[in-house]
Amino acid sequence: MEQDTDGITGLSSAEVLQRLKQDGYNELPSSKRRNIFRIALDVVKEPMLLLLVACGTLYFAIGDIKEAVILISFVFVVIGITLYQERKTERALEALRDLSSPRAMVIRDNMHVRIPGREVVTGDIVIVSEGDRVPADAVLLNANNITVDESLLTGESVPVRKSSWDGKQEMNTPGGDDLPFIYSGTLIVQGQGTARVLKTGLNTELGKIGKILQVLEPEETLLHKEVRRLVRNFTIFAVTLSALVIVVYGITRANWSNGFLAGLTLAMAILPEEFPVVLTIFLALGAWRISKEHVLTRRVSAIETLGAATVLCVDKTGTLTQNRMSVEKLFCNNEFYDLNRDHAKPLPENFHQLLEFAILSSQSDPRDPMESALKGLGNELLSHTEHLHTDWNMEHEYPLSKELLAMSRVWKSADGKDYVIAAKGAPEAIADLCHMSPEEKQHLSDQVSIMAGEGLRVLGIAKAYFSLHNLPRIQHDFDFQFIGLTGFADPIRPSVPGALQECYGAGIRVIMITGDYPVTAKSIAAQIGLSGADDVITGQELDTLRDEELRERLKAVNIFARVVPEQKLRIVDALKANGEIVAMTGDGVNDAPALKSAHIGIAMGARGTDVAREAASLVLLDDDFSSIVKSVRMGRRIYDNLKKAMAYILAIHVPIAGISLIPVLFGWPLILMPVHIAFLELIIDPSSSVVFEAEAEETDTMKRKPRRFDERLFNKRTFGISLLQGCVVLAIVLGIFIVSMHLGQTETQSRALTFTTLIIANLGLILTNRSWSRTIVSTLGIKNRALWGVVSGAMVFLALTIYVPFLQTLFRFSTLHPFDIGIGFGAGLLSVGWFETMKLYAQLKNKKVNRD
């Protein structure tokens, strides 16, 4: 029985809305999404907030009610900021969950539409094909060679055969061959068909046993491990040093309550609790931002790896080309017919049979681009002839296999006795079916080379007749006669040449893998500007190469032609053995091993199977090569900005910790109290997680080589510069405090001036770390609304603490004169001036190199 959807209109939009309202969405209870109270509870458990609460409690104990109330108020402000960040992250993850919902092809309002699986309703007509996950429990109206893996429900790994519904059978439990029912969550291993949905959501077999399919689980990535190690080391250091400060302060000054405050303040100053928060926010929002470039992130680790990718292995059809096939050339009886040149003329009778059998070998309701092109051409050129057979019945199909790249369809007319068999496939497979002599095969190969040399994808067409009742088991048992060749053109995507050059500029190699002929692959390679377009390895040659030979050839070859999906795994493994970081695209069931083996597996979203999507790290929603390049650019930007944020966090913690510790060691008045640390956190938290995350990419993002895969977030250079930034700020801020006290200013005046200098230096660190290649002045025009919100908020609040009497008392400040303010501003900006000078020097050096 053929998968024929003619005459099926499906549900109307109004019916769909009514059933959604009645039954709800087709989904199972997922992992509990955190509500605002749960998020708030998790936030309160953060070490920094626990330290603030401890300090507030201590102030209550010693009778300093004002200080205690303000500290507890800061707790609520920090909770508010963190809640905003967390909710933003949650919304990004929810958007990704919606995108990652399995897709379903349904017929609605007489149109084929692809929708999220959760929107399928009872009564929907669903089209299922090899590699698809079944979206709901359904009954097969048409089943064409369908086998289904039901192991998710039954535990049996052997796929079961399915048949068409006879109109009588009632739905039963999964398991057993030749039944017409398919079940939610199971996998179509082979064939295709049309089914009517009977049950959705919790009413499905999957719902009954409480399985959860769509859960976005956090992954322990290399970055997570590095950050966890950093936080652990800093925490041990902070706790040890804080305990030491409490003991030293209590013994030397005989004031244990102030000793505890000094110790807790130091712990707050050292503890880098922002690290894990920033990492989570960057990766979650990064995945959301990449989805805006039509790339769905299924595994967060892919975001880390994108910036390190050295090789992109891509399919030709649909990725480099538009996958919009049109029939350009026909070959029959030693004659060519060019449809572009001769289209105005009627199709010569000589070519009618070729087009007739090409259509008979295709689906009646095709979704394959080449089959659609054949049907469209047939409707246009054969509509008034006897060569279109809408009243014939399709009796059997011999599917394409890796052993024979050809398929045959067996037909019978309403009044005919004999079977009519139409076959199409790779020309060499059709030659095999037709049992051609070596001379005939060589002649055919010459004609194929002519067409493939024009960049056409070539299929051979053959016919056979059969009069016996029992059809043979394999296609080879028919007596096929060769009819001719069809040549299809698939224009390249206009964005590909530019994207390819961008890859080369970024030090990324691109390898094209196709099932087409070498000459076709070369033609496409020349059109897009692929380097090394003259050297090709074919699938047949690939099988003859030993692993060592393949690794050596791969150092220079960028085109693989006549490759079957199973061979992609060898290519990936050979590239990995050569030390490459590999991104690989794929769409079929057989692509899954290669996608899983690649460092970054990229599944096709538009034409890919669910199996490929599940094996991949990324899903290309529009199948466009330029979207892969955009995601690489975005991945590099995310990693760069994460590095800047982490460097800033380390840099600002150095002066805060130093100013908290040094006065205790030298017996000076304390400069920072818990309230000051809390105020600084109001700047540090949103700056590190929101400001840097929204920062624009560096100008050289796609002009530098990929970073090493094992490169640490804090390599020697990053750690050294961050530490130096922090030490310079610490030296200048301490210098301001020492000079101020030496000049006879009061403790409160000195503290106010020192704190003002520290705030300005903090804002300077934010501004200078926005870019490690461009100066502050050159980045001022780059849009970042969060940045100016933080800067203006910090300045306003600083002014209030200096000039509002209540806040002055709370922060233990005195009013500063304009001259003092100027000194604070000048010293704060001076603390980052050396880094700005270093940037200018690097720019001048690069300009000189470019001139030379």
Side-chain angles (χ1 to χ4, degrees), residues 597-642:
S597 178
H599 295 98
I600 309 169
I602 306 173
M604 301 297 105
R607 70 178 192 276
T609 61
D610 283 341
V611 175
R613 284 192 283 270
E614 286 176 13
S617 307
L618 302 174
V619 178
L620 205 59
L621 299 177
D622 60 0
D623 294 4
D624 190 345
F625 173 74
S626 63
S627 294
I628 303 176
V629 181
K630 288 175 186 175
S631 67
V632 171
R633 174 190 286 273
M634 187 65 71
R636 289 189 175 192
R637 171 193 161 181
I638 292 165
Y639 193 86
D640 283 350
N641 288 346
L642 180 60

Side-chain angles (χ1 to χ4, degrees), residues 635-653:
R636 289 189 175 192
R637 171 193 161 181
I638 292 165
Y639 193 86
D640 283 350
N641 288 346
L642 180 60
K643 208 167 183 179
K644 294 172 191 174
M646 295 295 192
Y648 160 72
I649 292 169
L650 178 61
I652 192 56
H653 273 276

Side-chain angles (χ1 to χ4, degrees), residues 402-457:
K402 62 181 180 181
E403 291 81 18
L404 185 68
L405 297 176
M407 62 178 294
S408 301
R409 309 187 90 213
V410 181
W411 295 86
K412 185 177 275 191
S413 63
D415 56 354
K417 293 181 180 180
D418 291 344
Y419 293 106
V420 178
I421 302 96
K424 76 169 184 295
E428 62 266 30
I430 295 298
D432 186 19
L433 282 178
C434 295
H435 305 289
M436 287 186 175
S437 66
E439 294 77 16
E440 289 173 324
K441 286 182 179 179
Q442 183 57 52
H443 177 67
L444 177 63
S445 178
D446 293 340
Q447 311 314 311
V448 169
S449 297
I450 292 171
M451 297 173 76
E454 298 173 13
L456 301 180
R457 187 168 184 178

Side-chain angles (χ1 to χ4, degrees), residues 68-137:
V69 169
I70 290 298
L71 275 182
I72 299 301
S73 300
F74 270 125
V75 169
F76 287 106
V77 173
V78 173
I79 287 175
I81 292 173
T82 311
L83 280 176
Y84 167 75
Q85 294 168 343
E86 289 275 350
R87 283 302 298 155
K88 191 173 180 183
T89 303
E90 284 285 309
R91 284 194 293 270
L93 290 175
E94 285 169 15
L96 291 175
R97 286 189 191 102
D98 289 342
L99 277 174
S100 62
S101 171
R103 317 301 281 177
M105 177 69 77
V106 298
I107 301 176
R108 287 182 180 173
D109 296 315
N110 204 24
M111 293 175 61
H112 289 195
V113 291
R114 189 172 288 278
I115 62 171
R118 68 189 296 269
E119 294 178 10
V120 170
V121 299
T122 54
D124 256 329
I125 303 299
V126 181
I127 298 171
V128 291
S129 301
E130 178 181 327
D132 288 348
R133 284 275 177 203
V134 178
D137 288 4

Side-chain angles (χ1 to χ4, degrees), residues 2-4 356-365 389-398 408-414 416-423 464-466 471 478:
E2 182 196 5
Q3 180 197 357
D4 189 353
E356 173 189 3
F357 275 83
I359 294 169
L360 285 173
S361 65
S362 305
Q363 297 289 333
S364 296
D365 187 19
H389 308 288
T390 55
D391 59 337
W392 284 18
N393 293 318
M394 208 276 286
E395 301 291 327
H396 187 68
E397 179 178 272
Y398 295 90
S408 301
R409 309 187 90 213
V410 181
W411 295 86
K412 185 177 275 191
S413 63
K417 293 181 180 180
D418 291 344
Y419 293 106
V420 178
I421 302 96
Y465 300 95
F466 195 77
L471 292 171
F478 291 114

